[in-house]
Amino acid sequence: MTTHDSNSAPDAQLALEIAGLSKAFGGTPALRDVDLQLGWGEALALFGHNGAGKSTLIRTLVTLVRPDEGTVTIAGFDRVRQAAQVRSMVGYVGHQSLLYDDMTARENLRFYAKLYGIADADRRVERSLAEVGATSFANRRMRVLSNGMVKRVAIARALLHRPRVLLLDEPEAGLDQGGLELLDSVINAVKAGGASVVMSTHSIERGFALADHVLVLDTGRVALAGATADTSVEEVRRAVLGTRQAAS
């Protein structure tokens, strides 16, 4: 795994800054007055039971969900007023691959390279495929690939334009042990290159080991937030269990 070379050097002091973020769907709150700051080269692990707001938070950051209240700034760009610039700064791996089934892995990446206006598209595509171990099946159509293979290509797509902030929503799904080790390498390489990572996960131990900060959500509210250096796995586990008990 090569060191991740993010877009041009960050000129904003923080990779991510959220203040008073709230979002509701049909009157049901999904995020409630969330505050968060994340520095460059840092990773944040998001925890919480299903429905706690993790995916809504990540989808808000990637501009797929518009906030009702509060401010979100990514790499110095305002999430609402400068959404196009924000999209150019982030890479996203969600529950859907965002890949085209009738295209090959290589064709998908070339398509996205054009969308991002990447000048050295062919070189960047081949490098991204190699980084995720997808070169051997790069000419196969997505519809015939296993879930783990599709996830590898989705990660390559997210890394293609060298984002400043990588957003991962439960990225472990579909990955075997080799894929999980690859994911760890990707996250560490992104951080080493000066970019930042936000990752939701149900694996407390893995998330804690990879992250510099943790955030536990409970029905959209922050139940626990802190640096991993000042927080224990057991504290995170108790906070997550508490949110599950409250939800049951």
Side-chain angles (χ1 to χ4, degrees), residues 15 101 166 205 230:
D101 284 346
L166 181 62
E205 288 77 9
D230 302 321

Side-chain angles (χ1 to χ4, degrees), residues 135-231:
T135 302
S136 63
F137 53 84
N139 289 326
R140 296 170 63 185
R141 297 188 187 279
M142 299 305 303
R143 66 171 61 257
V144 304
L145 299 182
S146 69
N147 290 337
M149 290 175 176
V150 171
K151 181 58 67 71
R152 286 175 182 253
V153 181
I155 294 171
R157 174 193 52 73
L159 295 174
L160 191 60
H161 62 299
R162 298 304 184 240
R164 292 189 183 185
V165 179
L166 181 62
L167 305 170
L168 306 171
D169 193 0
E170 298 181 7
E172 307 101 321
L175 292 177
D176 57 14
Q177 185 58 40
L180 292 174
E181 293 172 0
L182 166 76
L183 178 63
D184 292 354
S185 296
V186 165
I187 292 172
N188 288 326
V190 167
K191 291 172 57 181
S196 301
V197 180
V198 177
M199 178 179 111
S200 72
T201 178
H202 288 294
S203 175
I204 295 175
E205 288 77 9
R206 286 193 70 255
F208 198 91
L210 290 166
D212 303 282
H213 303 275
V214 296
L215 183 74
V216 179
L217 290 175
D218 174 16
T219 58
R221 292 190 179 94
V222 175
L224 175 68
T228 52
D230 302 321
T231 313

Side-chain angles (χ1 to χ4, degrees), residues 72-87:
V72 178
T73 304
I74 298 177
F77 295 106
D78 181 85
R79 156 66 184 79
V80 175
R81 293 184 293 102
Q82 299 169 300
Q85 291 93 326
V86 167
R87 284 191 287 271

Side-chain angles (χ1 to χ4, degrees), residues 41-53:
E42 296 182 336
L44 169 75
L46 288 174
F47 302 106
H49 60 80
N50 289 334

